[in-house]
Amino acid sequence: MMKTVALNIGSTPALLIGEKSDRVFLFVPGMHGRKEEALDFAEVAVPKGYQVMGIDLPVERKPWEVMSLLSEFRYYLYQNWKSVSIRANSIGSWFSMLVFQEEEIARALFVSPLLDMQKYIEEQPSRDENYYRWTMMHPVDRWDAPTYILRPEKDLVVSEAVGRDFISQHKCQITTMPGGEHWFHTPEQVAFMRAWETNVLNGYE
């Protein structure tokens, strides 16, 4: 059993998994995700010398509210660890980049990421104008972290066009799962994702 500690950072519940280390992964969930999702990733990361922090981030809320909560984690992480990495799903990837773009991130692992919120909103048949205007005023201007992306062959939630510009402009290594889905949830998809995570982290041992 891995050491697991429940805690709150500000008002947000979190799980800290693994023995004390100077390296940590922040696991940022997608829509309606839960901190417990980090436990499976920890099975890969903790044996390689990382701690993993899973969080109950309510990404369905307004972006300025989510950023405020995630910023509390940013402060906490850099106060307590020398090396910070991110493992994020879907919209959690966008929020991670917004909040951590000025920080040093050792590496980022994004699964089915939403990389360009403005383009994503523009593709929708209707939109929240306040959300859209806020997004335009708060772009991701900088992202220097080595970034590893796992995506399905055909993503029915986030189109390939949404991330095309970001991928062409940043340090990204892309892995595509044939027949995958936006939410990696079947045994085959989860096994593919675990193997991908393992391969990425093996490159840093």
Side-chain angles (χ1 to χ4, degrees), residues 112-113 150-161 174-185 189 192:
S112 302
L150 172 62
R151 60 185 182 186
E153 185 176 25
K154 186 177 178 71
D155 194 328
L156 299 180
V157 177
V158 179
S159 75
E160 185 177 343
I174 313 298
T175 299
T176 300
M177 180 181 180
E181 299 174 82
H182 182 80
W183 302 111
F184 281 67
H185 66 284
Q189 292 165 1
F192 191 100

Side-chain angles (χ1 to χ4, degrees), residues 7-60:
L7 67 161
N8 287 289
I9 306 301
S11 61
T12 307
L15 287 178
L16 180 60
I17 309 158
E19 299 295 332
K20 180 62 179 174
S21 172
D22 61 1
R23 301 188 296 172
V24 67
F25 261 98
L26 178 66
F27 189 100
V28 184
M31 193 71 72
H32 306 304
R34 301 177 302 123
K35 60 186 180 298
E36 288 79 11
E37 293 178 31
L39 290 166
D40 287 337
F41 176 65
E43 295 283 353
V44 174
V46 168
K48 298 185 183 301
Y50 295 90
Q51 289 179 282
V52 176
M53 179 172 286
I55 59 178
D56 278 343
L57 191 68
V59 296
E60 65 277 4

